[in-house]
Structure formats: C-alpha cells, structure tokens
C-alpha cells in the first residue's frame, strides 16, 4: 500500500514519469497493490496505452481479493478464523500487556551517569514535572486508536514507589510557549527532592501531520531539531546548583538535538510516543523491574545546521550508512542495566565465493550485576565502503537474554543475496574485494566507540 499521494510524486516530485498513468504503471509493476489517493484511476488509461497488461492488474488484485476472502468479508465463510472472534478481545488485558511489552522494548536509555538508574522504590522524595508528564495525547503520537486503558508517565511512576515515598507533581511549564505567569513554584521544589524526573519534548501538536500540528507554523514540518527554548531553560533552571538526581524523559517521533539535555541530566531516556501502556512501561524501566533494551532506529545528529541541504539527494552525510561525524546518538545505540562486551567473532565455514551462506559466530559477556536483554547487531562493510557503498549496512539482529557475569555464543547466517550491494542504476551486484563483518551493539562508527559500545569484527575476501 502506498502513502497518500506517493504515486503522484513519482511524476510530480521525482519526475521519473511523464504523467499519472505512467507513474501508476511503474508503481503497479513494481509490486504496489493498493494506492492511497486517486492515482490508480489512471490505470485504465495505462492499460489502453499498453503501459500495463491485464496480467499486471490481475497480479496486483489477487492478494487484495484473497485477503478479503480470508477475512470473511466478501462471502459468508464459516471456516474463516476471524468469523467468531468476540468483541471481548478489544482492549483486553492480554493485548494491553503486549502493548506494555512493546513500550518497554522501544524506550531507549541514552545516558545513565554513575548508575543513576534503576531508582530505588523506597526513595524518600520524588518530584515529577514537565508538560507531558500527565498528558495522554503524547502517548498516542500520530495515527492512533483510543483505548480505555491509557495511562500517563505520572501514573506509571506513582504505581511503582513505596508507601513511604513522597511523590509530588506540578506541570511546571506549558508545552509549546513560555509560561504567562512570571511566578515559579516548581523549580525550587524540584531541586529539593531526592530525585527529579522531568518529562519534556515534542508531541503531535508540534510534529503531527499537517492540520493536526496545531502548534506548528509550518504544518508539522520541523525547521530544526531543537527542543523549544523555554523547555531547555526550564531544564537549565532545575539543573543549576542541584544536589539531587535528575532524570530527563524525552517524547517525540523524530531526531532531536539532545546535546544540552545530556549535559544537564544524570540520565536521559528517549520515550518516543509509547502507546497506551507507555506510562506503566516507563515505571517498569525506571525502577528496574525490566531492563532497558530499546535501540535507536535512526541517528540523532549533534546539530541540524551541519546536515546536508534538504534539497540535496546525495547520500553523503545521511543516515548511519554514510555519516562519519555530527553524530550524538548512533543508529542502534542504547544502554541496558548490564555491561556487555563483544569478542571472538569468527566465520564457521571458511570457503566462500559469494554463492554460499556465511555462518558467523560471536561471544557476548554480561559483566554487570543484572540480567539484561541485549540487541546484538550484525553489520556488513563491502568493497568501496563509504564511497560507492555504505560505510556499513545492518543485515541482521537478535535479542539475547544475558545472565549476570555469564557469556553466550550468538550465531548469524548471512545469505548470498545480503552480500550484494545496490548500484547507482538500481541493480544489485556482488563486488570483488575485502568485506568486513562487524558484530556490535550499535552502528560501527567513531561515536559508538566514544560511547563505549562493544564490537568484534573479522575480514574476508571475495575474488
């Protein structure tokens, strides 16, 4: 299925087709079944112009019709597995617990100075503040359903502390504009607590889609990657002359400049838009009932001003595949409550010419005192890395449970097709020369090494 208007963009934006009929033909023959928008009305014209055939139409239509038949919404089908599903499954406890697990595994621990986290449940005083601490909307992000079970970060934190803990809350600041009232009753109280938890960031009113982004003067498009200045000032005021632990939780759905946030905070968590159970999931993670295992799905740059121009389609300086500097948090990065080292990567089948599977093995050891779930990542660097091919490409990953102070062997299988690189003309070729296999906790780069990410690598050649 296409994004809305994407087929039109084939000719209107990218200009690789002359008109909507030709664009629709390209999309259909490339495997698109369902178009969001009106472009596929031109398929009749495309057929008349012999840009497509009836076989092309049948091939695209068949999966759609088969799906509807399997769902039982074209004919009355007593054998359909969906026919007798009760409404009781909607918003059920079982499904809510799946949502909670998803949220737990998606939040990323970016900084944890001096083992600030996990927090003790019997901590004497906690002050929770920030514009999104008790906000349900920020949990949902974009394109969401509404659940009767939604919970906030404040609820998740309050559900974890002991009966003897004094937990206090004030919103502190408005989400998108400075406070109207010059009086501030929050900063002083936050500094007085043993632990301060500040929830700041973005929501759908900043970076939602077009008309949903009611706080954006650019219809949801971000002009830079900075947090609102008044939010940063609030964090500076809280951090100034403090003695307590400061945990900063960031909401958002895209890269954010977190350099100053990291400098001011003892611990930093990227919570994204975590869904209906996000509040409880954060509580689970903050207090150590679950160890962080989420990893960065994109690279967070240090400064958006140093990025290539938006209109420049050259890949240099973009994504983990071609970025060499200006990296704050790399793709694949994320801390756990353990200390995992990587070693002894080896290729188990020494004979290879690009036509056989390659069996790779590496050893992981958890040197920490807590059991953790580590996301082990397999990267490949091909001949011409960083010039005609990516610096490295993620070709596999596994979630592995590692017990404290124990080692475990992890194995990957690299398929022959994964060794091929996409050329400028779109073809996939097996290149001759030296390859490097890297088993790592994040995208292999200088910044990952600075952050202490473990890795182990091995070279091999194909001639």
């Amino acid at each position: 299925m296409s994004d809305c208007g994407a087929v039109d963009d084939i000719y209107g934006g990218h200009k690789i087709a002359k008109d909507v009929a030709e664009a629709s033909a390209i999309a259909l023959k490339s495997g698109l079944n369902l178009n969001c928008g009106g472009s596929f009305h031109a398929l009749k014209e495309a057929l008349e112009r012999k840009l497509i055939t009836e076989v092309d139409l049948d091939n695209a239509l068949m999966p759609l019709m088969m799906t509807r038949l399997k769902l039982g919404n074209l004919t009355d089908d007593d054998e359909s597995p969906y026919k007798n599903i009760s409404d009781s499954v909607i918003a059920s406890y079982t499904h809510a617990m799946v949502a909670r697990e998803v949220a737990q595994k998606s939040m990323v621990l970016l900084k944890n100075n001096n083992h600030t986290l996990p927090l003790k449940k019997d901590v004497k005083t906690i002050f929770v503040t920030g514009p999104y601490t008790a906000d349900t909307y920020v949990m949902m992000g974009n394109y969401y359903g509404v659940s009767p079970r939604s919970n906030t970060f404040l609820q998740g934190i309050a559900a974890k502390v002991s009966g003897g803990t004094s937990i206090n809350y004030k919103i502190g600041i408005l989400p998108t504009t400075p406070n109207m009232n010059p009086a501030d009753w929050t900063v002083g109280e936050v500094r007085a607590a043993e632990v301060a938890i500040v929830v700041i960031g973005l929501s759908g009113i900043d970076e939602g889609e077009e008309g949903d982004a009611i706080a954006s003067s650019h219809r949801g498009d971000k002009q830079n990657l900075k947090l609102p200045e008044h939010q940063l000032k609030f964090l500076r005021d809280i951090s100034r002359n403090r003695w307590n632990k400061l945990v900063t939780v960031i909401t958002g759905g895209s890269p954010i400049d977190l350099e100053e946030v990291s400098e001011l905070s003892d611990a930093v968590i990227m919570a994204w838009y975590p869904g209906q159970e996000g509040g409880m999931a954060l509580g689970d993670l903050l207090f150590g009932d679950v160890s962080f295992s989420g990893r960065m799905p994109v690279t967070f740059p240090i400064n958006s001003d140093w990025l290539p121009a938006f209109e420049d389609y050259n890949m240099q300086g973009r994504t983990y595949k071609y970025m060499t500097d200006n990296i704050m948090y790399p793709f694949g990065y994320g801390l756990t409550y353990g200390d995992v080292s990587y070693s002894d990567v080896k290729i188990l089948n020494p004979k290879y010419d690009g036509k056989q599977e390659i069996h790779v093995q590496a050893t992981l050891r958890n040197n920490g005192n807590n059991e953790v779930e580590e996301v082990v990542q397999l990267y490949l660097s091909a001949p011409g890395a960083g010039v005609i091919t990516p610096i490295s490409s993620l070709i596999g990953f596994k979630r592995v449970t590692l017990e404290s102070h124990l080692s475990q062997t992890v194995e990957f299988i690299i398929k022959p097709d994964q060794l091929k690189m996409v050329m400028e003309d779109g073809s996939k070729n097996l290149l001759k020369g030296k390859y490097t296999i890297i088993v790592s906790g994040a995208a292999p780069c200088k910044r990952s090494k600075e952050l202490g990410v473990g890795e182990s690598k091995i070279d091999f050649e194909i001639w």
Side-chain angles (χ1 to χ4, degrees), residues 70-72 77-92 95:
K70 290 175 183 177
L71 289 170
D77 183 2
D78 290 334
E79 295 183 6
S80 171
Y82 304 97
K83 181 178 177 62
N84 298 314
I85 294 178
S86 166
D87 286 350
S88 64
V89 303
I90 300 173
S92 66
H95 293 173

Side-chain angles (χ1 to χ4, degrees), residues 296-348:
M296 297 296 284
V298 292
T299 301
F300 274 28
I302 297 173
N303 190 324
S304 57
D305 293 338
W306 300 342
L307 294 172
F310 182 78
E311 298 83 0
D312 180 2
Y313 274 35
N314 190 296
M315 285 302 297
Q316 294 301 319
R318 298 185 188 279
T319 79
Y320 78 93
K321 292 187 175 185
Y322 289 94
M323 286 182 75
T324 58
D325 53 17
N326 190 28
I327 300 171
M328 184 68 190
Y329 293 115
F331 173 85
Y333 176 73
L335 299 172
T336 69
Y337 288 148
D339 176 19
V340 180
S341 59
Y342 289 65
S343 64
D344 302 326
V345 63
K346 61 184 71 172
I347 297 174
L348 300 182

Side-chain angles (χ1 to χ4, degrees), residues 21-36:
E22 187 176 335
S24 297
I26 290 171
L28 191 81
K29 295 176 77 170
S30 297
L32 185 68
N33 302 95
L34 192 60
N35 164 235
C36 177

Side-chain angles (χ1 to χ4, degrees), residues 371-390:
E371 179 182 284
V372 299
E373 192 175 52
E374 178 78 356
V375 179
V376 189
Q377 299 156 50
L378 180 69
Y379 292 88
L380 179 72
S381 181
V387 182
I388 62 170
T389 63

Side-chain angles (χ1 to χ4, degrees), residues 411-440:
E411 293 189 9
F412 289 96
I413 296 176
I414 303 175
K415 302 290 186 180
D417 193 57
Q418 291 180 294
L419 297 174
K420 296 179 180 178
M421 294 291 111
V422 178
M423 300 291 99
E424 193 167 335
D425 63 359
S427 64
K428 294 181 71 175
N429 295 337
L430 180 68
L431 303 178
K432 304 295 184 181
K434 187 181 79 170
Y435 289 75
T436 302
I437 293 171
I438 309 105
V439 181
S440 175

